[in-house]
Amino acid sequence: MSKQVYNFCAGPAMLPQDVMREAQREFCDFNQLGVSVMELSHRGSHYMKVAEQAEQDLRELMNIPSHYRVFFMHGGGRGQFSAVPLNLLTRGDAADYLLTGHWSKGAADEADKYADVSRIQGLETDSDGHTRVTEKLRIRAEARYLHYCPNETIEGVELFELPDSQGKPLIADMSSMLLSRSLDVSRFGLIYAGAQKNIGPAGLAIVIADPALFVDARDDIPAILDYRQMEKHGSMYNTPPTFAWYLAGKVFQWLKRQGGVAAIEEHNKAKADYLYQYIDSSDFYRNTVAVSYRSRMNVPFQLPDRALDPEFLRGAEQRGLLALKGHRAVGGMRASIYNAMPLEGVKALVGYMELFEKLQRR
Ligand SMILES: *Cc1c(COP(=O)(O)O)cnc(C)c1O
């Protein structure tokens, strides 16, 4: 390897080194076939084994109830913004969307095209100026589901407890936290995630769903977004994103070697605690999310003066600490510390933050 770098990009994000090396070894010659996995028929026995193993490993990692379907689909997270209402609602049906930030709002805006959407303000500001989740949610009686986003990637707001959906099926966009902590899948009607944060290459989406929620497909649904087609064809209605699926499978295997989701959750806690504790101990850096809603995956932080941002980023890059620039909607910095980020990466970041603060105070 060349110099040590730590990639804090929010997505596409860092993947485990072991996975990348393994994929590299097999790149031109998969299973001694003399071809790449990318060049294999998705219906051939070699690829089918890869695909089935990936699903089985994901089911094992998340303890997915056997009647739930698992789909590997095209179109990333946003593809599911459309697929969810198209598959779970008939025309004119109502669905409620909890708004907690950029991505939950994006999901509601897309669903608006297909459904009667009600937006529920999910966040309030407490007297200290910290954001927290609204206590009592006004869910409509006619709503067919409640959609929410457990981890708002841009704002760094994470909901560790399930919102009270008042008996409605809970639909969750887990794009930036799937597999980062333990979950009881049976409490969700449907879970989806774009792959490029914690799972693998961009473009792939994972869907985990209770098929009892699927309504008879509308006749105008694009077939590649149709869960019934996915079900019927084992996610191979058309050619699936085979390489992304293969790589996701390698990440699942890696996660099993790390001890599974419970083990990676402890690791993720340790990393996030280390960073937040440092930010809180400093009066130079600041994070404005209420402590109990701070994301373990995406840590936004601000410097005392925005004019310092370019210099901070330049110095970080020189030290191999990449992609720390915050989303333009929030400004400042954002450190994304998904499963693949080692504790050493977080320590290197904090070391640099300390140094930068000292230099500014001189
Ligand atoms: C990144 C992200 C998305 C968008 O995923 P795409 O694959 O780019 O469509 C959606 N929701 C959340 C929570 C995300 O973090």
Side-chain angles (χ1 to χ4, degrees), residues 2 10 27 39 117 131 147 195 198 210 213 232 282 313 330-331 339:
S2 43
F27 194 69
E39 303 169 296
V117 168
T131 29
H147 177 284
N198 240 348
D210 177 354
L213 297 179
K232 199 162 138 201
S282 133
L313 288 166
V330 175
N339 286 352

Side-chain angles (χ1 to χ4, degrees), residues 139-358:
I139 299 170
R140 293 177 296 175
E142 65 271 29
R144 297 287 300 270
Y145 60 74
L146 178 70
H147 177 284
Y148 86 118
C149 179
N151 185 60
E152 288 283 3
T153 321
I154 292 175
E155 292 85 354
V157 171
E158 185 161 1
L159 279 63
F160 293 96
E161 309 223 325
L162 272 53
D164 177 8
S165 65
Q166 298 161 26
K168 309 289 183 191
L170 198 53
I171 313 299
D173 172 5
M174 298 200 181
S175 295
S176 52
M177 52 65 75
L178 193 75
L179 294 169
S180 72
R181 57 180 161 95
S182 306
L183 286 174
D184 179 355
V185 174
S186 71
R187 297 186 64 190
F188 295 86
L190 185 148
I191 290 167
Y192 64 89
Q196 69 273 31
K197 317 292 168 51
N198 240 348
I199 300 164
L204 174 70
I206 307 272
V207 178
I208 301 161
D210 177 354
L213 297 179
F214 304 167
V215 297
D216 276 332
R218 308 159 48 133
D219 51 16
D220 59 351
I221 188 173
I224 63 160
L225 294 181
D226 186 341
Y227 295 157
R228 297 268 191 216
Q229 294 291 349
M230 294 302 127
E231 215 178 0
K232 199 162 138 201
H233 299 281
S235 300
M236 294 190 184
Y237 166 74
N238 71 328
T239 314
T242 54
F243 191 75
W245 189 336
Y246 151 86
L247 213 69
K250 290 224 176 290
V251 172
F252 300 154
Q253 292 259 319
W254 172 83
L255 200 46
K256 285 172 79 176
R257 294 198 297 274
Q258 308 308 300
V261 175
I264 207 81
E265 178 170 3
E266 287 312 307
H267 185 238
N268 287 332
K269 266 190 205 160
K271 288 183 302 182
D273 285 350
Y274 192 90
L275 184 49
Y276 284 118
Q277 267 166 28
Y278 170 66
I279 291 172
D280 287 345
S281 73
S282 133
D283 51 16
F284 189 83
Y285 301 101
R286 188 161 46 87
N287 168 286
T288 54
V289 180
V291 172
S292 48
Y293 296 108
R294 283 175 167 179
S295 170
R296 278 188 205 137
M297 298 284 100
N298 311 97
V299 182
F301 59 91
Q302 271 82 44
L303 279 57
D305 182 351
R306 288 165 73 174
L308 294 172
D309 290 359
E311 195 184 333
F312 180 90
L313 288 166
R314 242 187 338 268
E317 209 164 297
Q318 279 164 7
R319 286 163 181 81
L321 307 169
L322 307 183
L324 284 161
K325 190 171 164 43
H327 190 274
R328 61 191 179 279
V330 175
M333 306 299 145
R334 172 176 48 172
S336 294
I337 49 175
Y338 300 114
N339 286 352
M341 177 63 67
L343 181 60
E344 297 77 63
V346 176
K347 287 186 171 168
L349 172 61
V350 168
Y352 169 63
M353 289 168 75
E354 282 171 334
L355 176 70
F356 187 83
E357 175 178 355
K358 255 189 223 132

